[in-house]
Amino acid sequence: MYRLRWVFVPWSSPYKTNLSILQRLPVRTCPGLPLLVPPSHFYCKAASLHEDAVQAAEALSRYKDRPWDYLESEEYIERYGTSPVWEGYRRNHKGGIPPQKTRKTCIRGDKICGNPCPICRDPNIIIHHQNVKLLQQFISPHTGMVYDSTQTGVCMKQQKKLNEAITTAQDHGLLPFQIPFVEYSGEDYSNSHDAVGTTPSPPSLTIGDTWYKWYSEMTPDENQVAKVKKTYKAYLK
C-alpha cells in the first residue's frame, strides 16, 4: 500500500516550477493521475475509501446507543424494504440435505464465517429489548411464539439473545404476550366436591404417642443410636 505524499504547485503559474526539483523528491501519486493536478483533483480514491470507513464507523456508533433508529433509516429500507431481516436467507452447506441445527456462532474472535446469519451479517442490527420492531420480526403474529432458529437461520448465540430480549420486553410491557383464558364455571372446587373426598380430622394424640402407629413398632439399631448419642453428647446434657 502506497503512502501518499503530495507536492502542490500553485495553479496560477502552471509549469513554471523546475521539474528537475520535483523529480528528486520521493513523491507517490495516485494511479491514473498526473504529477501536477488542479486543486479539484487533490483527493484520490484512497481518501474517499477512508471517508466511507469513517462514516460507517460513525453510523455504527450512532446505532449502538439507539439500535431502533436503524430500522427507520433509509439505509435499512433500501436494503430490506418491508420484509424481515431473515427473509430470503439461505445458509451454505455441503450436500443436498441442510443441517438440522444452525451453527453455534458466526463470529469467533476476529474471524467471520463465509455466510453469517441474518443478524451477524449486518453490524447495525443490535438485539435490544427496546428494539421492538426487530423483535416483532421473530415472533409469529398468529401464535405469539418465537420462530425457531431453523426457520429464520439465526445462529444459536443470537437466538439465545433474542429469547432473552423478547422475555425482557414482555416483562417491561413493550411486547404483548398471550395468557390462556379459563372461563370460571362457578363450580365448587373445595374438598366438599364429589371428585375430592373429605379430609379426615387429625387424630387426637396424647403425650408419648406417635403420629404413625408403625413408627412405634420399629426398634432402632443400638449401634446407630450409640453413634448418634456420641456425636451429639454435648447437646444431650
Side-chain angles (χ1 to χ4, degrees):
M1 181 176 182
Y2 292 120
R3 297 182 60 184
L4 303 178
R5 182 179 176 183
W6 292 94
V7 177
F8 301 114
V9 180
W11 194 251
S12 58
S13 57
Y15 309 112
K16 292 183 179 180
T17 307
N18 191 354
L19 296 179
S20 61
I21 299 176
L22 295 178
Q23 292 176 358
R24 299 173 187 174
L25 297 176
V27 179
R28 291 286 187 181
T29 60
C30 292
L33 292 180
L35 180 63
L36 303 177
V37 293
S40 60
H41 296 81
F42 281 163
Y43 298 99
C44 64
K45 188 178 294 185
S48 63
L49 294 177
H50 178 69
E51 292 179 357
D52 295 343
V54 171
Q55 293 178 359
E58 291 178 355
L60 182 59
S61 62
R62 181 173 70 251
Y63 295 136
K64 185 177 182 180
D65 298 333
R66 298 174 58 88
W68 47 88
D69 290 345
Y70 174 64
L71 276 75
E72 299 178 357
S73 62
E74 297 180 357
E75 180 183 359
Y76 175 84
I77 297 175
E78 182 180 357
R79 182 171 183 177
Y80 300 101
T82 58
S83 304
V85 295
W86 53 268
E87 185 174 346
Y89 172 80
R90 183 180 178 184
R91 176 185 172 186
N92 296 338
H93 58 84
K94 295 181 180 179
I97 301 176
Q100 300 298 322
K101 295 182 180 180
T102 57
R103 60 174 64 92
K104 292 184 179 181
T105 180
C106 301
I107 303 175
R108 298 180 183 273
D110 297 336
K111 297 182 180 179
I112 304 177
C113 63
N115 186 19
C117 71
I119 295 180
C120 295
R121 67 183 177 183
D122 194 346
N124 294 326
I125 295 180
I126 302 174
I127 298 176
H128 195 273
H129 68 274
Q130 294 182 355
N131 198 355
V132 179
K133 290 186 177 181
L134 177 63
L135 300 180
Q136 287 177 346
Q137 298 180 6
F138 295 89
I139 300 176
S140 174
H142 307 289
T143 61
M145 299 179 64
V146 183
Y147 288 128
D148 191 70
S149 58
T150 56
Q151 183 176 355
T152 58
V154 178
C155 62
M156 296 182 183
K157 181 178 180 180
Q158 299 294 345
Q159 183 70 19
K160 184 178 180 180
K161 292 182 179 180
L162 277 172
N163 294 334
E164 294 176 354
I166 290 173
T167 304
T168 306
Q170 291 175 350
D171 293 341
H172 291 186
L174 302 176
L175 284 176
F177 59 94
Q178 298 179 358
I179 300 178
F181 176 74
V182 179
E183 185 177 358
Y184 178 66
S185 59
E187 297 181 2
D188 185 11
Y189 292 99
S190 62
N191 54 8
S192 62
H193 193 266
D194 297 338
V196 182
T198 57
T199 304
S201 58
S204 58
L205 299 177
T206 58
I207 299 175
D209 294 344
T210 57
W211 182 271
Y212 300 103
K213 295 180 179 181
W214 55 267
Y215 190 78
S216 59
E217 300 174 357
M218 295 179 60
T219 55
D221 188 6
E222 296 180 359
N223 296 331
Q224 295 293 334
V225 173
K227 188 182 295 185
V228 172
K229 287 182 178 181
K230 183 178 180 180
T231 304
Y232 298 98
K233 180 172 62 175
Y235 302 95
L236 296 176
K237 292 181 180 180

